[in-house]
Each structure stands twice: as structure tokens, then as C-alpha cells.
PDB file of all heavy atoms in Angstrom:
ATOM      1  N   THR A   1      13.432  19.109 -24.558  1.00  0.00           N
ATOM      2  CA  THR A   1      11.983  19.233 -24.585  1.00  0.00           C
ATOM      3  C   THR A   1      11.313  17.937 -24.991  1.00  0.00           C
ATOM      4  O   THR A   1      10.236  17.583 -24.509  1.00  0.00           O
ATOM      5  CB  THR A   1      11.542  20.374 -25.528  1.00  0.00           C
ATOM      6  OG1 THR A   1      12.198  20.206 -26.800  1.00  0.00           O
ATOM      7  CG2 THR A   1      11.939  21.726 -24.955  1.00  0.00           C
ATOM      8  N   LEU A   2      11.935  17.201 -25.917  1.00  0.00           N
ATOM      9  CA  LEU A   2      11.361  15.935 -26.337  1.00  0.00           C
ATOM     10  C   LEU A   2      11.435  14.904 -25.208  1.00  0.00           C
ATOM     11  O   LEU A   2      10.520  14.128 -25.000  1.00  0.00           O
ATOM     12  CB  LEU A   2      12.094  15.416 -27.566  1.00  0.00           C
ATOM     13  CG  LEU A   2      11.748  16.125 -28.885  1.00  0.00           C
ATOM     14  CD1 LEU A   2      12.721  15.745 -29.997  1.00  0.00           C
ATOM     15  CD2 LEU A   2      10.329  15.780 -29.293  1.00  0.00           C
ATOM     16  N   GLY A   3      12.543  14.917 -24.460  1.00  0.00           N
ATOM     17  CA  GLY A   3      12.640  14.033 -23.313  1.00  0.00           C
ATOM     18  C   GLY A   3      11.571  14.348 -22.284  1.00  0.00           C
ATOM     19  O   GLY A   3      10.951  13.447 -21.692  1.00  0.00           O
ATOM     20  N   ALA A   4      11.325  15.646 -22.049  1.00  0.00           N
ATOM     21  CA  ALA A   4      10.300  16.060 -21.104  1.00  0.00           C
ATOM     22  C   ALA A   4       8.923  15.636 -21.579  1.00  0.00           C
ATOM     23  O   ALA A   4       8.059  15.216 -20.775  1.00  0.00           O
ATOM     24  CB  ALA A   4      10.354  17.567 -20.895  1.00  0.00           C
ATOM     25  N   ALA A   5       8.688  15.728 -22.901  1.00  0.00           N
ATOM     26  CA  ALA A   5       7.395  15.304 -23.423  1.00  0.00           C
ATOM     27  C   ALA A   5       7.179  13.810 -23.228  1.00  0.00           C
ATOM     28  O   ALA A   5       6.071  13.380 -22.886  1.00  0.00           O
ATOM     29  CB  ALA A   5       7.339  15.645 -24.923  1.00  0.00           C
ATOM     30  N   TYR A   6       8.227  13.009 -23.415  1.00  0.00           N
ATOM     31  CA  TYR A   6       8.116  11.566 -23.189  1.00  0.00           C
ATOM     32  C   TYR A   6       7.819  11.267 -21.712  1.00  0.00           C
ATOM     33  O   TYR A   6       6.943  10.448 -21.392  1.00  0.00           O
ATOM     34  CB  TYR A   6       9.404  10.877 -23.618  1.00  0.00           C
ATOM     35  CG  TYR A   6       9.291   9.374 -23.714  1.00  0.00           C
ATOM     36  CD1 TYR A   6       9.050   8.750 -24.914  1.00  0.00           C
ATOM     37  CD2 TYR A   6       9.438   8.577 -22.567  1.00  0.00           C
ATOM     38  CE1 TYR A   6       8.958   7.369 -24.993  1.00  0.00           C
ATOM     39  CE2 TYR A   6       9.341   7.208 -22.637  1.00  0.00           C
ATOM     40  CZ  TYR A   6       9.100   6.589 -23.854  1.00  0.00           C
ATOM     41  OH  TYR A   6       8.991   5.234 -23.925  1.00  0.00           O
ATOM     42  N   THR A   7       8.575  11.931 -20.824  1.00  0.00           N
ATOM     43  CA  THR A   7       8.353  11.738 -19.397  1.00  0.00           C
ATOM     44  C   THR A   7       6.915  12.118 -19.018  1.00  0.00           C
ATOM     45  O   THR A   7       6.252  11.417 -18.233  1.00  0.00           O
ATOM     46  CB  THR A   7       9.333  12.598 -18.585  1.00  0.00           C
ATOM     47  OG1 THR A   7      10.660  12.216 -18.905  1.00  0.00           O
ATOM     48  CG2 THR A   7       9.090  12.459 -17.094  1.00  0.00           C
ATOM     49  N   SER A   8       6.427  13.208 -19.568  1.00  0.00           N
ATOM     50  CA  SER A   8       5.047  13.640 -19.291  1.00  0.00           C
ATOM     51  C   SER A   8       4.046  12.600 -19.772  1.00  0.00           C
ATOM     52  O   SER A   8       3.038  12.320 -19.101  1.00  0.00           O
ATOM     53  CB  SER A   8       4.797  14.983 -19.985  1.00  0.00           C
ATOM     54  OG  SER A   8       3.452  15.399 -19.805  1.00  0.00           O
ATOM     55  N   GLU A   9       4.319  11.974 -20.920  1.00  0.00           N
ATOM     56  CA  GLU A   9       3.413  10.941 -21.450  1.00  0.00           C
ATOM     57  C   GLU A   9       3.366   9.729 -20.532  1.00  0.00           C
ATOM     58  O   GLU A   9       2.299   9.178 -20.266  1.00  0.00           O
ATOM     59  CB  GLU A   9       3.876  10.533 -22.852  1.00  0.00           C
ATOM     60  CG  GLU A   9       2.901   9.666 -23.624  1.00  0.00           C
ATOM     61  CD  GLU A   9       1.682  10.423 -24.100  1.00  0.00           C
ATOM     62  OE1 GLU A   9       1.754  11.662 -24.201  1.00  0.00           O
ATOM     63  OE2 GLU A   9       0.636   9.797 -24.344  1.00  0.00           O
ATOM     64  N   VAL A  10       4.534   9.316 -20.037  1.00  0.00           N
ATOM     65  CA  VAL A  10       4.553   8.187 -19.103  1.00  0.00           C
ATOM     66  C   VAL A  10       3.770   8.526 -17.840  1.00  0.00           C
ATOM     67  O   VAL A  10       2.996   7.712 -17.316  1.00  0.00           O
ATOM     68  CB  VAL A  10       6.009   7.811 -18.733  1.00  0.00           C
ATOM     69  CG1 VAL A  10       6.049   6.760 -17.628  1.00  0.00           C
ATOM     70  CG2 VAL A  10       6.754   7.318 -19.975  1.00  0.00           C
ATOM     71  N   LEU A  11       3.948   9.761 -17.319  1.00  0.00           N
ATOM     72  CA  LEU A  11       3.213  10.169 -16.110  1.00  0.00           C
ATOM     73  C   LEU A  11       1.716  10.216 -16.362  1.00  0.00           C
ATOM     74  O   LEU A  11       0.909   9.886 -15.469  1.00  0.00           O
ATOM     75  CB  LEU A  11       3.732  11.524 -15.636  1.00  0.00           C
ATOM     76  CG  LEU A  11       5.012  11.485 -14.822  1.00  0.00           C
ATOM     77  CD1 LEU A  11       5.562  12.887 -14.618  1.00  0.00           C
ATOM     78  CD2 LEU A  11       4.781  10.808 -13.476  1.00  0.00           C
ATOM     79  N   ASP A  12       1.309  10.665 -17.548  1.00  0.00           N
ATOM     80  CA  ASP A  12      -0.124  10.654 -17.888  1.00  0.00           C
ATOM     81  C   ASP A  12      -0.706   9.253 -17.776  1.00  0.00           C
ATOM     82  O   ASP A  12      -1.821   9.058 -17.286  1.00  0.00           O
ATOM     83  CB  ASP A  12      -0.348  11.211 -19.305  1.00  0.00           C
ATOM     84  CG  ASP A  12      -0.184  12.717 -19.358  1.00  0.00           C
ATOM     85  OD1 ASP A  12      -0.136  13.363 -18.284  1.00  0.00           O
ATOM     86  OD2 ASP A  12      -0.101  13.271 -20.469  1.00  0.00           O
ATOM     87  N   ILE A  13       0.061   8.274 -18.250  1.00  0.00           N
ATOM     88  CA  ILE A  13      -0.404   6.885 -18.196  1.00  0.00           C
ATOM     89  C   ILE A  13      -0.430   6.382 -16.736  1.00  0.00           C
ATOM     90  O   ILE A  13      -1.429   5.827 -16.291  1.00  0.00           O
ATOM     91  CB  ILE A  13       0.505   5.988 -19.052  1.00  0.00           C
ATOM     92  CG1 ILE A  13       0.404   6.402 -20.539  1.00  0.00           C
ATOM     93  CG2 ILE A  13       0.145   4.515 -18.873  1.00  0.00           C
ATOM     94  CD1 ILE A  13       1.408   5.727 -21.430  1.00  0.00           C
ATOM     95  N   LEU A  14       0.642   6.637 -16.004  1.00  0.00           N
ATOM     96  CA  LEU A  14       0.724   6.109 -14.623  1.00  0.00           C
ATOM     97  C   LEU A  14      -0.335   6.723 -13.712  1.00  0.00           C
ATOM     98  O   LEU A  14      -0.823   6.070 -12.776  1.00  0.00           O
ATOM     99  CB  LEU A  14       2.117   6.408 -14.057  1.00  0.00           C
ATOM    100  CG  LEU A  14       3.278   5.596 -14.633  1.00  0.00           C
ATOM    101  CD1 LEU A  14       4.600   6.086 -14.037  1.00  0.00           C
ATOM    102  CD2 LEU A  14       3.112   4.121 -14.390  1.00  0.00           C
ATOM    103  N   THR A  15      -0.679   7.991 -13.937  1.00  0.00           N
ATOM    104  CA  THR A  15      -1.643   8.659 -13.046  1.00  0.00           C
ATOM    105  C   THR A  15      -3.075   8.545 -13.527  1.00  0.00           C
ATOM    106  O   THR A  15      -3.974   9.111 -12.907  1.00  0.00           O
ATOM    107  CB  THR A  15      -1.279  10.132 -12.900  1.00  0.00           C
ATOM    108  OG1 THR A  15      -1.221  10.772 -14.191  1.00  0.00           O
ATOM    109  CG2 THR A  15       0.098  10.294 -12.239  1.00  0.00           C
ATOM    110  N   SER A  16      -3.290   7.864 -14.654  1.00  0.00           N
ATOM    111  CA  SER A  16      -4.657   7.739 -15.161  1.00  0.00           C
ATOM    112  C   SER A  16      -5.536   6.890 -14.263  1.00  0.00           C
ATOM    113  O   SER A  16      -6.776   7.026 -14.268  1.00  0.00           O
ATOM    114  CB  SER A  16      -4.642   7.150 -16.591  1.00  0.00           C
ATOM    115  OG  SER A  16      -4.066   5.833 -16.557  1.00  0.00           O
ATOM    116  N   ASP A  17      -4.957   6.019 -13.481  1.00  0.00           N
ATOM    117  CA  ASP A  17      -5.694   5.213 -12.514  1.00  0.00           C
ATOM    118  C   ASP A  17      -5.127   5.514 -11.119  1.00  0.00           C
ATOM    119  O   ASP A  17      -4.044   5.075 -10.791  1.00  0.00           O
ATOM    120  CB  ASP A  17      -5.546   3.724 -12.824  1.00  0.00           C
ATOM    121  CG  ASP A  17      -6.410   2.818 -11.916  1.00  0.00           C
ATOM    122  OD1 ASP A  17      -6.797   3.292 -10.820  1.00  0.00           O
ATOM    123  OD2 ASP A  17      -6.669   1.683 -12.295  1.00  0.00           O
ATOM    124  N   PRO A  18      -5.842   6.284 -10.303  1.00  0.00           N
ATOM    125  CA  PRO A  18      -5.341   6.679  -8.967  1.00  0.00           C
ATOM    126  C   PRO A  18      -4.937   5.496  -8.094  1.00  0.00           C
ATOM    127  O   PRO A  18      -3.996   5.596  -7.300  1.00  0.00           O
ATOM    128  CB  PRO A  18      -6.488   7.464  -8.351  1.00  0.00           C
ATOM    129  CG  PRO A  18      -7.276   7.978  -9.530  1.00  0.00           C
ATOM    130  CD  PRO A  18      -7.158   6.905 -10.567  1.00  0.00           C
ATOM    131  N   SER A  19      -5.621   4.351  -8.242  1.00  0.00           N
ATOM    132  CA  SER A  19      -5.284   3.207  -7.404  1.00  0.00           C
ATOM    133  C   SER A  19      -3.924   2.621  -7.778  1.00  0.00           C
ATOM    134  O   SER A  19      -3.227   2.038  -6.939  1.00  0.00           O
ATOM    135  CB  SER A  19      -6.370   2.133  -7.531  1.00  0.00           C
ATOM    136  OG  SER A  19      -6.421   1.615  -8.869  1.00  0.00           O
ATOM    137  N   ILE A  20      -3.534   2.749  -9.048  1.00  0.00           N
ATOM    138  CA  ILE A  20      -2.224   2.296  -9.483  1.00  0.00           C
ATOM    139  C   ILE A  20      -1.148   3.302  -9.056  1.00  0.00           C
ATOM    140  O   ILE A  20      -0.104   2.931  -8.533  1.00  0.00           O
ATOM    141  CB  ILE A  20      -2.168   2.097 -11.023  1.00  0.00           C
ATOM    142  CG1 ILE A  20      -3.184   1.024 -11.449  1.00  0.00           C
ATOM    143  CG2 ILE A  20      -0.761   1.738 -11.477  1.00  0.00           C
ATOM    144  CD1 ILE A  20      -2.891  -0.348 -10.909  1.00  0.00           C
ATOM    145  N   TRP A  21      -1.439   4.596  -9.267  1.00  0.00           N
ATOM    146  CA  TRP A  21      -0.475   5.620  -8.903  1.00  0.00           C
ATOM    147  C   TRP A  21      -0.191   5.589  -7.387  1.00  0.00           C
ATOM    148  O   TRP A  21       0.930   5.874  -6.973  1.00  0.00           O
ATOM    149  CB  TRP A  21      -0.988   6.996  -9.326  1.00  0.00           C
ATOM    150  CG  TRP A  21      -0.077   8.122  -8.917  1.00  0.00           C
ATOM    151  CD1 TRP A  21      -0.339   9.141  -8.054  1.00  0.00           C
ATOM    152  CD2 TRP A  21       1.273   8.317  -9.354  1.00  0.00           C
ATOM    153  NE1 TRP A  21       0.736   9.965  -7.925  1.00  0.00           N
ATOM    154  CE2 TRP A  21       1.749   9.491  -8.719  1.00  0.00           C
ATOM    155  CE3 TRP A  21       2.133   7.623 -10.230  1.00  0.00           C
ATOM    156  CZ2 TRP A  21       3.037   9.967  -8.926  1.00  0.00           C
ATOM    157  CZ3 TRP A  21       3.407   8.112 -10.435  1.00  0.00           C
ATOM    158  CH2 TRP A  21       3.857   9.270  -9.775  1.00  0.00           C
ATOM    159  N   ALA A  22      -1.159   5.222  -6.590  1.00  0.00           N
ATOM    160  CA  ALA A  22      -1.001   5.226  -5.153  1.00  0.00           C
ATOM    161  C   ALA A  22       0.054   4.234  -4.673  1.00  0.00           C
ATOM    162  O   ALA A  22       0.469   4.279  -3.497  1.00  0.00           O
ATOM    163  CB  ALA A  22      -2.328   4.921  -4.466  1.00  0.00           C
ATOM    164  N   LYS A  23       0.500   3.330  -5.517  1.00  0.00           N
ATOM    165  CA  LYS A  23       1.512   2.361  -5.119  1.00  0.00           C
ATOM    166  C   LYS A  23       2.674   2.316  -6.120  1.00  0.00           C
ATOM    167  O   LYS A  23       3.307   1.271  -6.302  1.00  0.00           O
ATOM    168  CB  LYS A  23       0.902   0.974  -4.969  1.00  0.00           C
ATOM    169  CG  LYS A  23       0.135   0.474  -6.194  1.00  0.00           C
ATOM    170  CD  LYS A  23      -0.515  -0.877  -5.895  1.00  0.00           C
ATOM    171  CE  LYS A  23      -1.303  -1.379  -7.125  1.00  0.00           C
ATOM    172  NZ  LYS A  23      -1.966  -2.663  -6.837  1.00  0.00           N
ATOM    173  N   THR A  24       2.940   3.443  -6.758  1.00  0.00           N
ATOM    174  CA  THR A  24       3.935   3.488  -7.841  1.00  0.00           C
ATOM    175  C   THR A  24       5.043   4.485  -7.535  1.00  0.00           C
ATOM    176  O   THR A  24       4.785   5.568  -7.004  1.00  0.00           O
ATOM    177  CB  THR A  24       3.261   3.876  -9.173  1.00  0.00           C
ATOM    178  OG1 THR A  24       2.296   2.897  -9.516  1.00  0.00           O
ATOM    179  CG2 THR A  24       4.285   4.013 -10.293  1.00  0.00           C
ATOM    180  N   VAL A  25       6.284   4.096  -7.875  1.00  0.00           N
ATOM    181  CA  VAL A  25       7.428   5.000  -7.890  1.00  0.00           C
ATOM    182  C   VAL A  25       7.978   5.030  -9.297  1.00  0.00           C
ATOM    183  O   VAL A  25       8.233   3.994  -9.901  1.00  0.00           O
ATOM    184  CB  VAL A  25       8.529   4.523  -6.904  1.00  0.00           C
ATOM    185  CG1 VAL A  25       9.790   5.380  -7.070  1.00  0.00           C
ATOM    186  CG2 VAL A  25       8.022   4.592  -5.481  1.00  0.00           C
ATOM    187  N   PHE A  26       8.130   6.231  -9.833  1.00  0.00           N
ATOM    188  CA  PHE A  26       8.641   6.439 -11.205  1.00  0.00           C
ATOM    189  C   PHE A  26      10.010   7.088 -11.085  1.00  0.00           C
ATOM    190  O   PHE A  26      10.136   8.203 -10.574  1.00  0.00           O
ATOM    191  CB  PHE A  26       7.668   7.300 -11.988  1.00  0.00           C
ATOM    192  CG  PHE A  26       8.086   7.619 -13.410  1.00  0.00           C
ATOM    193  CD1 PHE A  26       8.707   6.660 -14.188  1.00  0.00           C
ATOM    194  CD2 PHE A  26       7.865   8.867 -13.935  1.00  0.00           C
ATOM    195  CE1 PHE A  26       9.088   6.942 -15.491  1.00  0.00           C
ATOM    196  CE2 PHE A  26       8.241   9.159 -15.240  1.00  0.00           C
ATOM    197  CZ  PHE A  26       8.856   8.195 -16.015  1.00  0.00           C
TER     198      PHE A  26
END
């Protein structure tokens, strides 16, 4: 669950700007 929480936090950051997420692979 802690690993999932960390992954979720990274995704929150990556998707906070749609223009960045549109060219990102995680």
C-alpha cells in the first residue's frame, strides 16, 4: 500500500500539467 501511495503521488505530479503528461511515459 505504501508503494502504491508513492506511485500515486508521482502520477499526481506528472498529470498536474496536461501538456507535460501528453508526452510522458511512466
Side-chain angles (χ1 to χ4, degrees):
T1 51
L2 285 168
Y6 192 98
T7 300
S8 177
E9 190 72 22
V10 173
L11 279 170
D12 285 347
I13 296 170
L14 290 176
T15 57
S16 62
D17 185 338
S19 65
I20 299 296
W21 177 244
K23 55 183 178 181
T24 298
V25 172
F26 179 39

